[in-house]
Amino acid sequence: MEDRYGVRGQEDHGRDVGITTFDTADAYANSQAETVLGEALKGERRESLEILTKVYWPTGPKGHNDLGLYRKHIMESINGSLTRLQTDYVDVYQARRFDYETPLDETMQAFADLVRMGKALYVGVREWTAQQIQDGHDLAEDLGIHLISNQPQYSMLWRVIDSDVIPVCVSLGISQVVFSPIAQGLLTGKYRPGEQPPAGSRATDEKAART
């Protein structure tokens, strides 16, 4: 069965071939991606799945207090994500960006409280620097929780994390959940030198090209 977003059939096929880990974010399609994923996984044995989502960017009306990693936004965002995903908890809750306007200890304390409430099993980060990862890890350990993953962009064309992020993560036992491994399609061979991008490709989507 495929819904109007064209996703449900893909999730069904993914489970058929043994995929059990699903990574999303509250801001994807202004929260609709979580809604679609929740519907697609309805009825599945929750213990057999790993569901990851993220927090930072705004959703909904995108008003005041809808951006960042401060306590209020984190607490409200996880509740919205759990409702849309139709689950009591997520396996990994990820800070999608580093918040330079919120004290890191406030962010990690909020994450620790979510773990203690059972709304998240572990926490992760996305596109943080090596020092930010180190600081986040240290605070998490002090609070009795574990920072287990980092989600960087990584491909044959983009390897900036090799020099410092990877060594720090290896030393801390933090795994990588990379995105854009085919460089947003550049490594597929679909884009040819001197030719216009194929119709309907990511390069022709102005919004997608900026992300």
Side-chain angles (χ1 to χ4, degrees), residues 115-137:
V115 172
R116 295 189 182 101
M117 287 187 283
K119 295 185 177 184
L121 301 186
Y122 303 97
V123 296
V125 299
R126 185 180 190 269
E127 293 198 305
W128 283 24
T129 67
Q131 188 60 58
Q132 291 164 354
I133 292 171
Q134 178 73 65
D135 293 343
H137 168 272

Side-chain angles (χ1 to χ4, degrees), residues 1 4 33 41 59 62 83 125 134 142 150 176 180 194 203-204:
M1 175 180 178
R4 64 192 179 98
L41 298 179
T59 59
K62 303 180 181 180
T83 297
V125 299
Q134 178 73 65
D142 289 343
N150 173 51
Q176 308 302 310
S180 200
T204 63

Side-chain angles (χ1 to χ4, degrees), residues 114-189:
L114 293 183
V115 172
R116 295 189 182 101
M117 287 187 283
K119 295 185 177 184
L121 301 186
Y122 303 97
V123 296
V125 299
R126 185 180 190 269
E127 293 198 305
W128 283 24
T129 67
Q131 188 60 58
Q132 291 164 354
I133 292 171
Q134 178 73 65
D135 293 343
H137 168 272
D138 293 346
L139 279 171
E141 292 296 308
D142 289 343
L143 292 165
I145 63 172
H146 300 295
L147 178 61
I148 68 164
S149 65
N150 173 51
Q151 188 171 100
Q153 181 179 171
Y154 192 67
S155 70
M156 292 176 63
L157 297 181
W158 186 262
R159 305 190 58 158
V160 297
I161 64 172
D162 283 345
S163 61
D164 53 3
V165 170
I166 291 294
V168 165
C169 288
V170 169
S171 70
L172 299 176
I174 294 175
S175 299
Q176 308 302 310
V177 186
V178 305
F179 72 94
S180 200
I182 56 175
Q184 298 185 352
L186 288 177
L187 295 175
T188 65

